[in-house]
Amino acid sequence: MRPRNSSLALSLLARLVRRLRRDERGVTVIEFAMVATPFFMFIFGTIGIGLHFFITNSIEHAVEAAARKIRTGQAQTAGTTMGDFKSEVCAEAASFIECNGKLQIHIQHGTEWSAITPASCKDGTSLATAGGASGDSVSDFSGEESEAVLITVCYQWDLPASIPFISLGDPDLGGAAIIQAATTFRTEPYK
């Protein structure tokens, strides 16, 4: 024979379970809690990937626009320095691109395309330094008229370090990503 208090407790527990099974209040909150984390990860991931493509496109546009002056010989005849050329790339790029130590420009030339070996954007565990000092003349790196020229721009983008689940970043750079844009052309006969 069971004590009366025990059967009363079981009866209350059974009624509570039946009532909770029928009660649908709060189901929406529970379902949202289960879906919210993957949903927000998807939204922020989409925004992050979109920003990556936007910045890449902005840098590519800037390289093409600034390289036109080298292609036509304007930069060589005007005595443009590497610092001036970098400023032109930065002026053509989106305003939120940091041009201080995060943007490096490599200009290479050769009489034939096979004479050019593309520069690497990464030097061990850091962003590779530019191919010349800020005061060096662009003509030292772009060569003479009718030569093949390769301009490579490397940009260290720090946002992926803030969004770790996207994994665009490089662990050697603390999670930052390297965005690279390049253009190749043969300079025009400008002399």
Side-chain angles (χ1 to χ4, degrees), residues 76-94:
Q76 293 89 323
T77 57
T80 303
T81 64
M82 290 294 285
D84 295 338
F85 185 75
K86 183 176 180 178
S87 295
E88 288 181 35
V89 170
C90 291
E92 291 290 335

Side-chain angles (χ1 to χ4, degrees), residues 44-123:
F44 290 130
T46 302
I47 290 169
I49 298 294
L51 283 171
H52 180 268
F53 284 114
F54 178 72
I55 288 175
T56 301
N57 188 34
S58 177
I59 292 172
E60 287 176 355
H61 164 73
V63 171
E64 287 292 329
R68 178 160 173 67
K69 291 189 177 180
I70 292 176
R71 184 179 313 124
T72 59
Q74 290 174 315
Q76 293 89 323
T77 57
T80 303
T81 64
M82 290 294 285
D84 295 338
F85 185 75
K86 183 176 180 178
S87 295
E88 288 181 35
V89 170
C90 291
E92 291 290 335
S95 60
F96 52 82
I97 291 178
E98 302 173 44
C99 287
N100 46 18
K102 304 207 184 267
L103 186 84
Q104 300 293 330
I105 299 175
H106 306 274
I107 302 176
Q108 300 167 288
H109 71 93
T111 54
E112 295 299 322
W113 295 109
S114 59
I116 300 174
T117 303
S120 175
C121 283
K122 192 174 170 189
D123 184 20

